[in-house]
Amino acid sequence: MTYEPKIIAFLCTWCSYTGADSAGIARMKSPANVRAIRVPCSGRVAPEWIMRAFDQGADGVLVLGCHIGECHYDSGNHRAAKRIPVLHELMSYAGLEPERLRLDWVSASEGERFSQITTEFTETIRALGPIHWRVDDERRVVSRGQVGRPTNIQKPPSPSITYPTERYQELTLQIQNVARNLLQSGDVEFVIGYEVGPRGRTRPVFIHKADEVERLVWNQNCTHNLSTYLTQKWGRPVPTERKAQIDQPRVGVVVKACDSRSVNVMLTESRFTRDKVHLIGVVCDGIRQGASFDTLEEGPLQTRCLACESRIPVLYDTLIGEIPADKTAQPEAARELSSVKHLYGIDQLEAMTSAERMDFWLGQFDRCIRCYACRQVCPVCACPTCLYERDDSLWVGMGMGINEKRTFHLGRAYHLAGRCIGCDECTRVCPMDIPVGLLSHKMSEEIHERFGYRAGLQEAPPPFLTILDLQENQP
């Protein structure tokens, strides 16, 4: 029996759906494999719809919208032109053949073009054969590690360095003095910083009184991104017209270079106003691998520190430490480790076949226990209600199969595209050692390559929220 693919087509109601009607009226042949879903605009096609379509058995997904400049909603197709190609790269990175997802444009009068695109796409999918994206009971052996065992990603070794203890003691005294002055003057209600706990581990601390500032420290183990607590303190974004009416406490917080970028993202999203936070920026020498688990004063830098482009926070009210001549966080021994993709092993995954990448990620996602630690620790993953809990408030209701886990992690990575600042806290806190950050780093590099944008370097919206420039590539 000849294999016939199942194809889902999301059609813009104003152009491509009408173009399909034009093809029918003109009696142009179109494949019967295409199941059309009428949407108001191509910019309305959510990534979750596409992922769910593949999860539920679609062999290919086609998104057709108006030509650029002809959108009924002015710039809706601009959003599709920016978002769908990035989603395409993410799903290809996770093991889907890239030819199975396509974005194109069809106007209301282009019935012949609609017929041509759907015919070509159907033939392409037919040549690829049935999709293996959904893991059924027959392929469940992947989750038990009998086949498709996850491939080890070989990261380049990070050089071991000795951290400057005397310098850290000096920075600690400066942080304590600044915190004491802020609390004594009543400029802030409390200060969020770091302390060494009773077991010798460096951990976050909230200081409310000036006589408690001696608890504050700065060392090679200050790995936590403290800006996460700002969202937890103030909750959901504040509408512009209500900012002046809401009495939010002023808070002091210690930030590294990467942490300060997340503050810029929060300010862009109106989580709080700039006057409500006093940023104590610290010139960072890099954080040690294994930080917060022991008290070693030497060791290799974390991968994010090797990839860091600046030792100085992009945003601060008080700067602790002198501005160095070399503003990067990389030590001299790590200069050759320049590529972010090389540092994280992204280039190794990209070099694999689609089947190998799929087996790698299936093996990773199957270990996920849905504890949501990655979501809770992320400073910018802070929706009032997570998309994946809107249908069922119980986390167990989302299912524990590989398909559900994959949809959650890929969806979360996509939502962070253009917002992730690369603090890598999600990978650090995962109890199952899943390299969750590999997805977000891939998205960050994709956004940078396409739009020249790095999240948090300035208080500006990500490119997904803007229209296409003349210099930007169109699919």
Side-chain angles (χ1 to χ4, degrees):
M1 183 177 178
T2 304
Y3 160 70
E4 289 297 333
K6 299 177 182 177
I7 295 173
I8 299 297
F10 294 100
L11 307 181
C12 157
T13 187
W14 303 101
C15 284
S16 57
Y17 191 85
T18 308
D21 280 344
S22 299
I25 293 173
R27 296 189 177 183
M28 298 177 184
K29 293 184 178 180
S30 298
N33 309 73
V34 177
R35 278 75 165 173
I37 297 178
R38 188 176 183 177
V39 295
C41 177
S42 58
R44 184 65 180 83
V45 179
E48 295 77 23
W49 300 355
I50 296 175
M51 285 189 281
R52 289 294 185 186
F54 284 118
D55 279 345
Q56 295 178 13
D59 296 301
V61 173
L62 183 63
V63 180
L64 297 179
C66 311
H67 289 280
I68 299 298
E70 299 179 4
C71 180
H72 185 81
Y73 301 101
D74 190 30
S75 62
N77 54 359
H78 286 247
R79 297 174 182 269
K82 290 190 170 188
R83 294 174 176 178
I84 300 300
V86 174
L87 175 64
H88 180 276
E89 291 299 319
L90 174 63
M91 299 194 71
S92 175
Y93 184 64
L96 184 78
E97 294 95 333
E99 297 83 3
R100 293 188 184 273
L101 175 60
R102 177 174 173 178
L103 170 67
D104 218 317
W105 317 113
V106 173
S107 70
S109 61
E110 293 181 321
E112 183 178 358
R113 178 173 171 80
F114 175 84
S115 177
Q116 178 184 355
I117 289 175
T118 53
T119 300
E120 290 178 355
F121 188 65
T122 301
E123 291 301 321
T124 299
I125 301 302
R126 184 179 287 116
L128 289 173
I131 193 172
H132 297 294
W133 183 251
R134 182 171 182 82
V135 184
D136 53 25
D137 292 336
E138 295 179 359
R139 281 198 82 206
R140 187 63 64 179
V141 291
V142 173
S143 67
R144 295 196 294 266
Q146 297 178 16
V147 298
R149 188 178 299 276
T151 304
N152 291 325
I153 299 298
Q154 301 296 329
K155 296 182 180 179
S158 176
S160 181
I161 64 173
T162 300
Y163 296 87
T165 304
E166 293 183 359
R167 168 176 155 78
Y168 285 165
Q169 291 174 350
E170 180 182 347
L171 295 178
T172 294
L173 291 176
Q174 294 181 37
I175 292 173
Q176 292 175 358
N177 290 333
V178 171
R180 183 181 294 108
N181 293 335
L182 289 173
L183 291 169
Q184 287 178 343
S185 64
D187 194 27
V188 299
E189 183 175 300
F190 58 88
V191 173
I192 310 173
Y194 302 94
E195 71 169 354
V196 176
R199 292 188 291 176
R201 297 180 179 179
T202 302
R203 65 186 186 183
V205 62
F206 287 63
I207 303 297
H208 291 80
K209 299 179 180 179
D211 56 5
E212 297 177 344
V213 298
E214 285 76 12
R215 295 168 60 185
L216 292 171
V217 301
W218 180 263
N219 56 36
Q220 68 279 359
N221 298 318
C222 295
T223 186
H224 304 82
N225 187 340
L226 301 181
S227 65
T228 303
Y229 295 103
L230 298 178
T231 297
Q232 296 179 5
K233 177 64 179 177
W234 289 314
R236 65 184 62 192
V238 181
T240 304
E241 64 273 11
R242 292 184 56 208
K243 288 179 183 177
Q245 305 174 15
I246 297 178
D247 184 21
Q248 294 178 329
R250 194 161 194 261
V251 177
V253 58
V254 178
V255 293
K256 304 184 291 293
C258 51
D259 305 342
S260 65
R261 291 173 57 187
S262 62
V263 175
N264 259 338
V265 174
M266 294 177 186
L267 291 172
T268 301
E269 298 176 354
S270 300
R271 307 275 186 88
F272 50 84
T273 55
R274 180 66 178 88
D275 62 305
K276 293 300 182 181
V277 59
H278 185 102
L279 299 177
I280 306 174
V282 181
V283 177
C284 181
D285 294 313
I287 304 301
R288 184 181 58 81
Q289 290 184 15
S292 79
F293 291 100
D294 54 55
T295 59
L296 296 176
E297 295 180 355
E298 62 179 19
L301 283 171
Q302 293 184 2
T303 304
R304 62 164 170 168
C305 299
L306 294 174
C308 186
E309 299 177 351
S310 176
R311 298 170 57 186
I312 305 170
V314 297
L315 197 66
Y316 59 85
D317 296 295
T318 303
L319 184 64
I320 304 298
E322 297 182 357
I323 297 178
D326 181 6
K327 298 181 180 181
T328 67
Q330 298 183 7
E332 191 65 32
R335 296 303 183 199
E336 69 272 11
L337 307 178
S338 57
S339 170
V340 172
K341 289 187 176 182
H342 180 59
L343 284 171
Y344 287 101
I346 296 174
D347 55 353
Q348 297 179 46
L349 276 171
E350 290 179 335
M352 296 180 186
T353 65
S354 297
E356 290 172 339
R357 286 196 299 272
M358 183 177 293
D359 282 348
F360 171 82
W361 285 113
L362 289 179
Q364 299 294 339
F365 294 149
D366 192 37
R367 302 204 312 276
C368 176
I369 58 175
R370 296 297 287 276
C371 66
Y372 294 134
C374 55
R375 187 182 70 187
Q376 294 301 108
V377 78
C378 180
V380 297
C381 189
C383 294
T385 303
C386 180
L387 173 69
Y388 298 97
E389 292 182 344
R390 291 178 184 174
D391 296 330
D392 190 342
S393 60
L394 298 177
W395 70 277
V396 294
M398 282 298 299
M400 291 295 289
I402 298 181
N403 300 303
E404 290 81 5
K405 296 174 184 178
R406 175 174 54 195
T407 299
F408 167 74
H409 284 291
L410 294 183
R412 179 178 172 275
Y414 182 82
H415 289 168
L416 294 179
R419 301 170 64 233
C420 175
I421 49 88
C423 68
D424 234 13
E425 286 289 272
C426 52
T427 300
R428 184 184 66 83
V429 301
C430 179
M432 306 309 293
D433 293 325
I434 301 172
V436 187
L438 275 177
L439 296 169
S440 296
H441 288 302
K442 167 64 176 177
M443 288 292 90
S444 296
E445 289 306 297
E446 191 66 29
I447 294 293
H448 179 64
E449 291 175 3
R450 287 179 178 271
F451 308 112
Y453 178 87
R454 292 287 189 191
L457 293 182
Q458 58 274 330
E459 187 180 339
F464 280 171
L465 301 181
T466 59
I467 64 175
L468 285 166
D469 293 331
L470 295 177
Q471 295 82 8
E472 292 176 349
N473 294 326
Q474 299 180 17

